[in-house]
Amino acid sequence: MNIFSSLGIAIKALRAHKARTFLASLGILIGIASVIIMVAIGKGSQQEVMDVIAGMGENLITVNAGEMKRRGGRLRLTGNVTTLTVRDANRIMDEIGEVERVAPFEQKSMTAKFGNNSAETTIAGSTIDFPIVRDYKLKSGDVFSERDVKTANRVAVIGMTAVKNLFGEEDPLGQVIKVHFMPYKIIGVFEPKGVDTNGLDQDDLVLIPLSTYMRRIANQTFITRIFVKASSRKNIAKASKKIHELLRENHKLTDDRNDDFTLVSQLDIEEMKKETTEMFTKLIVGVAGISLLVGGIGILAVMLISVKERTREIGIRRAVGATRKDIVRQFLYESLIIGFLGGGLGVALGVGLTLGLTHWGNWTLILDLNSIWVASWACAGIGVLFGVFPAIKASKLDPMVALTTE
Amino acid sequence: MNLIEMNSICKSYRNIGFETKVLKDVTLHIKEGDYVGIIGPSGAGKSTLMAIMGCLAQPTSGEYILDGEQVGKLNDRKLSRVRNEKIGFVFQAFHLLPGVSALENVTLPLVYAKNPPGNIKERARELLAKVGLEHRLHHTPGQLSGGEQQRVTIARSLISDPRIILADEPTGNLDSKNGIETMKTFDSLVKEGKTIILITHDQEVAQHAGRIISILDGQIASDSEVNHEAQTRSL
Ligand SMILES: Nc1ncnc2c1ncn2[C@@H]1O[C@H](COP(=O)(O)OP(=O)(O)OP(=O)(O)O)[C@@H](O)[C@H]1O
Ligand SMILES: [Mg+2]
């Protein structure tokens, strides 16, 4: 007996029991669809995280003053360190070839006032390279100039959240705000950037020249952060290493003394976030496995019932010449078809929902072809795995016993 | 040469708590071309004997040689081929596939045939016509009367042109006219050289056979040739 007649028999049997066939494949359908959607969600959120990381500045290395310790999954600065300076930043820029730009940085949460409005915001001081290093784009106006920095002018470039809080709908360009009783002229507005990897609003910002900040706001010589842009992604690691060596030397740290600064590069953050996504991936695989198992049990149950119900049919087929193998094949094909039917509909549903949610919903989902591929094979596997047992059971009966089974 | 050779066949069913001995030491030889009637009271073991003859069940003990082959030593593939090619079954309980047309039921054995002939549908139609069912080709068993189902079964038993026909009460559900037609069919098959084993309660039907074996309580009670000449004279 050839494959096509076995297949034909299997298809006929399944068509004769449409409802049962559909119910049997439902488990697989839901399992496969949820796997595809969940993988798409996982990939999407991973992409979102990577976008945020990249959005903080391409090839970014952050030098933080003080030692950073991991506490509760987040990096926190310890102690009050006063050793990081603008001179460090300048040496990094001048002496390390893999560094494209640097932006020494200091910030403080303060109240800014415009007319009768006042708002708590972040006042930050940095150099003209800050927008480039941190990938801030201008919406209107200009960034302050080299001259503004040199002469410590009271000019500011402002983020959209601060604009909203202080100016509402009014155009902030050319207006003057007051911080700590001193007036600052708004000369530029940044495009909105959204949140950073720690969930902090990057648009709640009033950026002024670092020199102005040091003189008018902080009255100090040290800084807490230097943003460094490496010349390429490939050079991030090398640049980090060189910055590390340079700072240790510059801070006169002998061999046995701990660093008084911490380097966090884009790669480090990606690595950290990867751990989270990997955990999520494991979770997906687990849930997927369980749902496919449930789907398989569905097939198993239906096939067991089907075999039992059709014991007499098996007896008849055996009596007129069907071999055990023919019977096993017939039932195996039935469960395979159920598996593929569920799988096919599941893939269709999963892909449909994924595309739909991306198109109409406000979701970032990324369809993963691999997951579809794996899911399809899983269907076949489940079909065989859970169909083979009832099939073999069916074929083992003596024809006479099968014929006289009630 | 004996086509069917059963030596000391015993068959018992073992169920929880008790054992039923159905066939007790049956020895039976049937030659090719024989027309054998098997009679006996209900529950005597006739259907069981037929199941063993047709390789549908294995004896508990004893030796069964079919067409020179030890059935007990055949593997599943060979046994299936024996059933497919050498034997045609007419079951007491019909055993037709439910929900499948008469025509497809008749062609079922050829689905499993090693070298199925080309004109399967045509042959099935002819056979169904032969049993008077040319107008019921596409009825499913549920849409057929008991007698009609029985005739479909007979047509099915003939589709693969087997050498042996095992018929268990083939006329049990038929009216006298169809019964006579069926018996005529069998008579002509014997003339073609087929071996027929016919189980029946009907003495008149049994008289068609050339040899009558009566089974009583799992044993052969009598085994005699029928003298057709004496019979016709007595009528
Ligand atoms: N699976 C089984 N388990 C136990 N006993 C069985 C089984 N199958 C048949 N029997 C017993 O075997 C005996 C013979 O059964 P069989 O069907 O061969 O009788 P039969 O001669 O064909 O009767 P009838 O003329 O009524 O068809 C019966 O008494 C029956 O109860
Ligand atoms: Mg019987």
Side-chain angles (χ1 to χ4, degrees), chain B residues 13 15 20 22 40-49 92 168-169 201:
Chain B
Y13 291 107
N15 289 310
T20 321
V22 180
S42 181
K46 306 182 295 294
S47 295
T48 307
L49 183 66
Q92 194 172 9
D168 199 347
E169 302 273 11
H201 281 118

Side-chain angles (χ1 to χ4, degrees), chain A residues 1-2 5 9 12 312-327 330 398-401 403-404, chain B residues 11 13 47 51 55-58 76-77 80-81 83-84 89 91 93 95-98 104 108-109 111-113 156:
Chain A
M1 166 168 214
N2 66 36
S5 29
I9 291 169
K12 243 184 231 164
R312 223 166 63 87
E313 173 190 330
I314 294 165
I316 294 168
R317 291 183 184 278
R318 300 267 285 130
V320 300
T323 60
R324 283 198 181 132
K325 225 165 125 193
D326 291 332
I327 301 295
Q330 176 186 338
D398 241 0
M400 193 63 203
V401 175
L403 279 173
T404 50
Chain B
K11 177 75 181 174
Y13 291 107
S47 295
C55 306
L56 296 173
Q58 295 295 325
D76 177 65
R77 200 171 54 81
S80 301
R81 276 206 57 194
R83 288 194 293 264
N84 185 243
F89 293 97
F91 291 106
H95 293 321
L96 295 169
L97 282 188
E104 276 186 83
L108 185 66
V111 168
Y112 298 102
R156 182 182 64 189

Side-chain angles (χ1 to χ4, degrees), chain A residues 54-76:
Chain A
M56 285 178 70
E58 213 184 354
N59 308 328
L60 181 71
I61 302 166
T62 308
V63 182
N64 295 289
E67 220 184 338
M68 276 193 136
K69 289 258 166 65
R70 229 172 164 169
R71 222 178 277 148
R74 266 191 198 179
L75 289 172
R76 276 167 214 274

Side-chain angles (χ1 to χ4, degrees), chain A residues 177-235:
Chain A
I177 58 168
K178 277 190 174 168
V179 178
H180 209 252
F181 312 111
M182 297 292 266
Y184 291 85
K185 188 177 169 205
I186 308 290
I187 58 166
V189 179
F190 287 127
E191 290 266 13
K193 248 171 93 72
V195 295
D196 69 5
T197 44
N198 284 326
L200 299 175
D201 185 1
Q202 299 179 91
D203 301 323
D204 197 2
L205 175 81
V206 175
L207 181 72
I208 61 177
L210 184 64
S211 47
T212 315
Y213 184 96
M214 299 297 236
R215 197 170 303 164
R216 308 283 181 192
I217 309 271
N219 198 17
Q220 67 189 30
T221 53
F222 60 87
I223 52 176
T224 50
R225 202 166 282 174
I226 302 170
F227 292 115
V228 180
K229 183 179 175 67
S231 54
S232 69
R233 189 180 168 84
K234 204 171 80 241
N235 280 338

Side-chain angles (χ1 to χ4, degrees), chain B residues 47-65:
Chain B
S47 295
T48 307
L49 183 66
M50 181 183 120
I52 292 172
M53 267 185 202
C55 306
L56 296 173
Q58 295 295 325
T60 313
S61 69
E63 178 190 55
Y64 176 30
I65 300 165

